[in-house]
Amino acid sequence: MRRGQQIWVVLGGIIVLSLFTSLTSRLTQQPGIWTSDRYLRPLDSNITTLTDGTFTFRLDRSAYDAAFPHLQRYTCREEIAPEGLCQGPAGAPLLLLAVKSHPASGGRRAALRRTWARPREMGGFRLRPVFLMATASDHRHARLVQLESDTFGDVLMWDFVESHHNLSLKERCFLQWLHRHCPQAAYVFKGDDDLFVNLKALTVYLSQTPNASCFIHGNIQNHSTVMRRGKYAVPQTLYSMGHYPNFASGGGFIMPGASVAALYAASLRLPVFPLDDVYLGFLTLAAGLPHQHDSRFRVWGIPEDKLQVYRGSLTVHGVSMERMEQVWQAL
């Protein structure tokens, strides 16, 4: 090749590389590249915005680092992790029943294991419970949890401390665990340990809902107003907007297994919000996942404590251990 031709080849390569770099730069900053119309868009190294078409939500990571540094910096470390919990015979799809619990709530867990939170097959699904916990300051509770784990093999515990705001760490770390250790789950139900779950109605709901694997299911809160006082208060310096994105109430909801990878990927990019159900709402928005609302997810209890109401519900929140067992036996 002549010298003049070599120069043109080199120049041509430089031009192509320059065009490719320019195009890549534009694509990574255009809305919609990561999650279609939900989109997470970086404004600078600390600020991320999300939009749902009605509101635009601005998340400043530096504010979260200042107000809740432990939520942002914690690396998920499991103290107790069941082996092979999601393994099982081929056939019926796995519905994982994940229950948020506190080490001190051994009585509640015992009541759930006697009722709806035990391994079985029902409604065409293979059901498997797992209790999600953080560490206890009381050594007696820690010993009890270890005994439960040895006996039932259904405890998943991380080494952060149980607290209200740390529930968001349970959300983040559970997504990581699901992504790494339970990819075979068809659906994941998640709720509190004072929740009654009508498993028959729940499995029928999943079987009969069109395209059920495309949605996050639950009692969906639409653009809830941000509280500035009380247990669920969020300071304006952390979150200046007046509304939250839509989210499934944390009392009880379902996410399809197919959504876990996108939710986990979002958790690696977004700051950890100090309210766990709102945090999942941000992850859901970033992942571009739609919601499916059903009022039978009774996250605030029921108007009348009658058997027919439980029969017609998917979940009922705030049920005592004694009533849990009465209703289960009656149904």
Side-chain angles (χ1 to χ4, degrees), residues 128-314:
R128 191 70 168 92
V130 59
F131 292 91
L132 312 179
M133 284 180 269
T135 57
S137 55
D138 191 318
H139 294 298
R140 295 171 300 173
H141 296 149
R143 288 194 296 269
L144 174 62
V145 170
Q146 186 61 62
L147 178 61
E148 291 179 45
S149 176
D150 295 341
T151 303
F152 301 103
D154 61 3
V155 172
L156 179 55
M157 173 180 276
W158 295 274
D159 68 354
F160 59 85
V161 177
E162 288 280 359
S163 74
H164 173 58
H165 289 138
N166 282 356
L167 289 173
S168 294
L169 290 182
K170 277 189 186 180
E171 201 72 59
R172 176 162 69 86
C173 293
F174 182 51
L175 284 172
Q176 176 179 289
W177 182 86
L178 283 173
H179 181 68
R180 295 179 177 178
H181 302 288
C182 198
Q184 59 270 62
Y187 294 97
V188 179
F189 172 82
K190 196 157 180 279
D192 296 334
D193 61 8
D194 61 346
L195 195 72
F196 175 83
V197 180
N198 185 341
L199 290 177
K200 182 178 180 180
L202 194 71
T203 53
V204 169
Y205 170 84
L206 288 174
S207 298
Q208 295 184 353
T209 299
N211 301 315
S213 61
C214 298
F215 299 93
I216 303 292
H217 304 262
N219 196 305
I220 309 305
Q221 309 305 299
N222 294 304
H223 294 139
S224 296
T225 302
V226 178
M227 296 183 183
R228 301 303 182 188
R229 296 181 180 180
K231 179 180 179 180
Y232 302 103
V234 172
Q236 194 149 2
T237 53
L238 181 74
Y239 185 76
S240 61
M241 286 70 75
H243 296 84
Y244 292 128
N246 296 345
F247 62 87
S249 178
F253 64 92
I254 298 170
M255 54 185 174
S259 71
V260 170
L263 291 170
Y264 173 62
S267 75
L268 299 177
R269 297 172 182 252
L270 268 62
V272 179
F273 199 84
L275 301 177
D276 61 328
D277 46 9
V278 176
Y279 175 50
L280 184 63
F282 280 118
L283 299 183
T284 301
L285 177 59
L289 298 167
H291 291 98
Q292 178 79 31
H293 173 77
D294 197 303
S295 60
R296 291 177 296 168
F297 289 92
R298 298 184 181 274
V299 295
W300 293 289
I302 51 179
E304 292 184 284
D305 191 9
K306 294 183 178 180
L307 192 61
Q308 61 265 31
V309 181
Y310 288 91
R311 184 177 286 113
S313 302
L314 298 171

Side-chain angles (χ1 to χ4, degrees), residues 61-83:
R61 182 175 291 275
S62 60
Y64 290 81
D65 285 336
F68 295 96
H70 67 291
L71 295 185
Q72 318 310 318
R73 300 170 189 171
Y74 175 75
T75 300
C76 299
R77 291 179 295 269
E78 297 149 5
E79 283 211 342
I80 300 176
E83 293 186 7

